[in-house]
Amino acid sequence: MRKPSANAALAIVCALGVMAMTGAAFAAVPLYRMFCQVTGFDGTVRRAEKAPDQVLDETVLIRFDTNVRDLPMTFRAEQVTQRVRIGATGMAFFDVTNTSDRPIHATAAYNVVPERAGPYFQKLQCFCFEGQTIQPGQTMQFPVQYFVAPEIATDRESRGVREITLSYTFYPTKGFDQAAIAASPTGAAG
């Protein structure tokens, strides 16, 4: 039996390297998103299990920004701003209307500005945690329950933050239209 040549071993190592790099490329986006959600990095809002026990006298002005990417819908915040005490729970409502004659399946992405406020702006409830289905002509109201963690007041980098903008962008969820058409009783859109 012959020993594998150095060229064959090198080819195997190169093939394994290419496969590992391809796998890392596919894993990079979900891993980065998970990292941002855990740390609040890059203005990513964190999901909280419960509101803080401490409420400060200091307030923060929260601005709400809404955007739509490649969807026939309107999307707006019922209030453009809210002033909340740091540590207190706030509630905002958003209205979405499907202006088309077909169901829309969409997901809302979000972030906060300034980025240094990301670790402290936390949500208890949000429509952005899952995809939404909006029927033709339907208007839906979505709540967001949030708070600004009291630690923002003592963090040397963020303690001067007095305004935070929470920005949402609704974008189409890929592959939904084909699934909706196939699942409809007539098998056709509209």
Side-chain angles (χ1 to χ4, degrees):
M1 188 168 210
R2 291 180 48 192
K3 289 184 179 180
S5 70
N7 288 343
L10 181 60
I12 291 171
V13 167
C14 287
L16 290 173
V18 167
M19 289 185 339
M21 289 179 2
T22 302
F26 281 106
V29 171
L31 290 174
Y32 180 74
R33 182 180 302 130
M34 191 171 23
F35 169 77
C36 290
Q37 289 174 341
V38 168
T39 64
F41 181 74
D42 200 24
T44 302
V45 177
R46 294 169 59 177
R47 185 174 187 171
E49 297 298 320
K50 68 179 190 115
D53 296 327
Q54 180 185 19
V55 176
L56 306 179
D57 288 332
E58 297 175 59
T59 63
V60 177
L61 182 68
I62 309 297
R63 295 185 183 282
F64 302 103
D65 174 52
T66 58
N67 305 282
V68 176
R69 191 182 89 204
D70 299 329
L71 288 169
M73 63 190 294
T74 60
F75 176 39
R76 69 173 191 82
E78 288 189 1
Q79 290 182 289
V80 177
T81 62
Q82 289 181 349
R83 184 161 296 279
V84 295
R85 290 175 57 195
I86 294 174
T89 301
M91 180 74 81
F93 293 92
F94 295 82
D95 295 326
V96 176
T97 301
N98 178 347
T99 58
S100 76
D101 61 353
R102 297 174 60 167
I104 293 175
H105 188 70
T107 303
Y110 55 88
N111 69 340
V112 298
V113 175
E115 290 178 7
R116 65 184 187 262
Y120 304 105
F121 191 96
Q122 299 183 23
K123 297 181 193 174
L124 295 164
Q125 175 188 359
C126 182
F127 57 93
C128 57
F129 296 148
E130 55 191 43
Q132 304 297 328
T133 302
I134 304 125
Q135 297 302 319
Q138 181 182 23
T139 297
M140 297 179 74
Q141 184 182 69
F142 296 114
V144 174
Q145 187 177 26
Y146 67 93
F147 64 87
V148 178
E151 293 80 13
I152 197 170
T154 57
D155 183 325
R156 143 183 126 177
E157 301 232 352
S158 61
R159 67 177 162 224
V161 172
R162 294 294 170 251
E163 288 187 16
I164 298 173
T165 300
L166 175 62
S167 182
Y168 286 103
T169 301
F170 257 112
Y171 62 92
T173 303
K174 293 182 182 187
F176 175 76
D177 289 339
Q178 295 80 15
I181 292 167
S184 71
T186 61

